[in-house]
Amino acid sequence: MKEQPIGIFDSGVGGLTVAHAVKQILPGESLVYFGDTAHLPYGDKSADSIKSYSRRITEFLLEHNSKVVLVACNTASSSAFDTLRKEFNGKTILIDVIDPVVDYLSTRNFHKIGVIGTKRTISSGTYEKKLKEKSPVTNVVSLATPLLVPMIEEGFIFDDISNAIIRTYLSEKSLTGIEALILGCTHYPIIKNQISKFFNFNVEVVDSARIVATALRETLEKNNLLNEKSKVSDQFFVSDYTPYFEKIAKMFFEGNINLKRADIWS
Ligand code: DGL
């Protein structure tokens, strides 16, 4: 089983931030990545739709022999993870992107934390609930920032448009005085520098990529599933081909990537 790949999914390029960190922290592993670009953005969809997409993608990743499935999407982690855990219980190991971040924050001493994410993630209240259960934080301010995913997927980063959108969202009064800001969407690390700069680097901007990759490493070690040297190459699948996905994937994985369109819905 050690030889089997790690399955990872997201609605689009966001999960590549996590996949990239996984390759850095676990260089001996190979990946099977699925970007559900046909249904992007997930943040505007109903919880039922997200559950059904996540279920089918998990099956697809298991058909491709994944030894674990990493839900590299906050929207799916907040709306579908409990369902996946029940339905795939005993069939695979599932990891989400929210619990490892909450565990990390429980070791810090923040009092006021901000969370930004998609409408679905924020309306689920998952971060707020879990942070209050597990960490000493007393004040959690959540803000939906729905324009950020389409902005990133359309390639608006480090320009006037992205600066204006980021500034407008983060100027929200309720965020005043936060000590840390959780990037509650795996797309957002792509604009992490712009966000840190908005706060003059005075707020800890917490992105899940390395935290989740470290949690994955611990899980593999605990289950004796760690692969030191994979013999197979990484595979990338999308439900709809977009040149931007390929461009970002090549940026993260330097050079040639094996990208295929997989029509898993018909
Ligand atoms: N990257 C995703 C997340 O972490 C999905 C965003 C979307 O498709 O709306 O929530």
Side-chain angles (χ1 to χ4, degrees), residues 45-102:
K45 305 289 186 304
S46 69
D48 280 348
S49 297
I50 294 161
K51 280 179 198 165
S52 114
Y53 305 151
S54 303
R55 180 183 295 123
R56 179 65 194 106
I57 298 168
T58 302
E59 282 166 6
F60 174 84
L61 294 172
L62 294 182
E63 286 156 18
H64 283 74
N65 239 355
S66 302
K67 60 183 171 188
V68 295
V69 173
L70 171 51
V71 183
C73 171
N74 286 261
T75 311
S77 294
S78 63
S79 301
F81 194 65
D82 289 346
T83 305
L84 293 180
R85 257 217 299 237
K86 269 186 223 132
E87 292 183 9
F88 293 90
N89 183 22
K91 295 189 187 129
T92 189
I93 299 172
L94 284 151
I95 297 186
D96 74 323
V97 283
I98 296 179
D99 288 315
V101 170
V102 170

Side-chain angles (χ1 to χ4, degrees), residues 52-266:
S52 114
Y53 305 151
S54 303
R55 180 183 295 123
R56 179 65 194 106
I57 298 168
T58 302
E59 282 166 6
F60 174 84
L61 294 172
L62 294 182
E63 286 156 18
H64 283 74
N65 239 355
S66 302
K67 60 183 171 188
V68 295
V69 173
L70 171 51
V71 183
C73 171
N74 286 261
T75 311
S77 294
S78 63
S79 301
F81 194 65
D82 289 346
T83 305
L84 293 180
R85 257 217 299 237
K86 269 186 223 132
E87 292 183 9
F88 293 90
N89 183 22
K91 295 189 187 129
T92 189
I93 299 172
L94 284 151
I95 297 186
D96 74 323
V97 283
I98 296 179
D99 288 315
V101 170
V102 170
D103 288 344
Y104 162 73
L105 287 166
S106 69
T107 65
R108 308 295 309 271
N109 217 7
F110 295 123
H111 299 291
K112 184 170 180 181
I113 292 185
V115 186
I116 55 172
T118 66
K119 284 194 272 193
R120 170 82 22 228
T121 299
I122 296 304
S123 69
S124 76
T126 308
Y127 272 104
E128 216 158 324
K129 199 172 117 253
K130 293 194 172 192
L131 280 167
K132 287 193 172 160
E133 270 166 21
K134 281 203 181 165
S135 75
V137 65
T138 44
N139 194 353
V140 181
V141 184
S142 304
L143 182 72
T145 49
L147 286 180
L148 296 184
V149 167
M151 178 191 97
I152 293 165
E153 288 280 342
E154 288 299 327
F156 291 107
I157 39 182
F158 302 112
D159 60 11
D160 293 347
I161 292 178
S162 56
N163 270 331
I165 295 175
I166 291 167
R167 198 175 51 244
T168 306
Y169 278 138
L170 300 183
S171 302
E172 167 70 37
K173 266 214 179 70
S174 58
L175 292 176
T176 309
I178 54 168
E179 298 151 86
L181 179 73
I182 301 174
L183 302 185
C185 172
T186 52
H187 280 69
Y188 301 173
I190 294 172
I191 50 167
K192 186 175 179 177
N193 281 346
Q194 276 176 285
I195 292 176
S196 298
K197 198 165 163 222
F198 172 85
F199 291 110
N200 290 323
F201 303 94
N202 287 326
V203 164
E204 179 171 336
V205 178
V206 181
D207 97 61
S208 61
R210 289 190 74 83
I211 296 172
V212 170
T214 306
L216 172 63
R217 185 182 180 100
E218 284 164 12
T219 304
L220 293 177
E221 277 167 355
K222 208 167 71 196
N223 290 281
N224 199 23
L225 286 174
L226 195 70
N227 192 0
E228 303 289 350
K229 200 165 176 20
S230 171
K231 294 183 192 80
V232 289
S233 51
D234 300 327
Q235 299 176 76
F236 295 85
F237 294 92
V238 280
S239 47
D240 199 9
Y241 176 76
T242 64
Y244 186 67
F245 184 96
E246 188 161 18
K247 186 176 153 203
I248 294 286
K250 280 183 174 159
M251 185 184 97
F252 276 121
F253 292 90
E254 283 156 24
N256 282 332
I257 59 150
N258 179 4
L259 178 65
K260 292 192 192 103
R261 183 170 170 269
D263 181 11
I264 65 171
W265 310 111
S266 52

Side-chain angles (χ1 to χ4, degrees), residues 33-52:
Y33 185 92
F34 190 90
D36 192 9
T37 41
H39 293 126
L40 180 95
Y42 274 12
D44 297 342
K45 305 289 186 304
S46 69
D48 280 348
S49 297
I50 294 161
K51 280 179 198 165
S52 114

